[in-house]
Amino acid sequence: MTRVGVVTFPGTLDDRDAARAVRLAGGEPVALWHGDADLQGVDAVVLPGGFSYGDYLRAGAISRFAPVMGEIVDAANKGLPVLGICNGFQVLTEAHLLPGSMIKNDHLHFVCREQVLSVDNVDTAWTRDYTAGEHITIPLKNQDGQYVADEHTLDELEGEGRVVFRYQGWNPNGSRRGIAGISNAAGNVVGLMPHPEHAVESGFGPDGANGPRTGTDGLRFFTSVLHALVG
């Protein structure tokens, strides 16, 4: 069975949700502790949401120096699939696995809502089970969710097809060019602000086509990586 590591930092909130998503997709979740420089031989890694180290200095800044992150950076550069969700996305930018940075929402308020996204890139390890141009609904909850980068970086992301998700209907945090998620050049590292792990099980997700709480659009993040790993 494919083993997917889920990292817990002090202040992480969504590690158990991410582990459940892995399990529902058919994988085996493996708990990884921030202070251990050991990935336990996992096949992929999820950096879940929360407020790692209390978001002191800035979101994700301290987590970058956790012992487990040194191992993740090395493994990601060798092709290990890594998904950063919300605070995990912030950690990936701080660790320079993804370009740009996250700052406070342009309206300076915490936002929590069901958010429609367009899927712009289905060639990553985490999106292969989606259809290009598809619209999905994923819960969003953040305060430091505004993605920023210089124009050269934004143009590069656009030109290389590395914008993976965009906000539809409303840009909830002022992110440049409506960007909700991006990938690295190889496509094995993906970060996004919305929370797919909260849309994996009917009865507990966002409203869907079949009624209230029936949305499971997030589950295909986790089936995608399992399919990518088995070829």
Side-chain angles (χ1 to χ4, degrees), residues 27-211:
E28 177 187 349
V30 177
L32 300 177
W33 182 239
H34 73 111
D36 295 335
D38 181 6
L39 298 185
Q40 300 184 41
V42 297
D43 304 298
V45 167
V46 176
L47 301 176
F51 302 90
S52 60
Y53 296 95
D55 278 353
Y56 289 113
L57 299 182
R58 62 182 176 273
I62 298 177
S63 300
R64 170 192 174 185
F65 299 102
V68 74
M69 283 305 301
E71 299 299 308
I72 290 173
V73 168
D74 288 345
N77 287 330
K78 296 174 183 176
L80 182 79
V82 178
L83 176 66
I85 303 170
C86 196
N87 188 236
F89 184 12
Q90 295 160 343
V91 174
L92 290 177
T93 62
E94 292 289 339
H96 305 300
L97 284 173
L98 293 175
S101 187
M102 315 301 301
I103 63 174
K104 291 196 178 301
N105 298 339
D106 59 351
H107 45 72
L108 302 181
H109 295 287
F110 185 88
V111 61
C112 183
R113 57 171 283 150
E114 296 176 4
Q115 179 65 49
V116 178
L117 308 175
S118 64
V119 184
D120 288 9
N121 183 345
V122 295
D123 294 324
T124 80
W126 300 92
T127 57
R128 60 181 291 167
D129 286 355
Y130 292 97
T131 301
E134 180 179 0
H135 285 189
I136 62 176
T137 301
I138 302 293
L140 174 76
K141 49 174 185 169
N142 63 65
Q143 177 172 280
D144 298 87
Q146 183 180 176
Y147 178 74
V148 296
D150 61 73
E151 289 300 311
H152 173 75
T153 298
L154 293 170
D155 288 343
E156 189 174 71
L157 290 171
E158 300 266 18
E160 296 178 1
R162 291 166 53 194
V163 176
V164 183
F165 302 98
R166 294 185 203 269
Y167 297 113
Q168 296 297 309
W170 178 51
N171 186 334
N173 42 41
S175 292
R176 300 298 184 269
R177 305 190 189 183
I179 291 173
I182 61 174
S183 76
N184 67 344
N188 61 302
V189 179
V190 169
L192 79 162
M193 287 311 297
H195 286 260
E197 79 281 10
H198 294 322
V200 296
E201 187 172 13
S202 183
F204 301 92
D207 294 347
N210 296 320

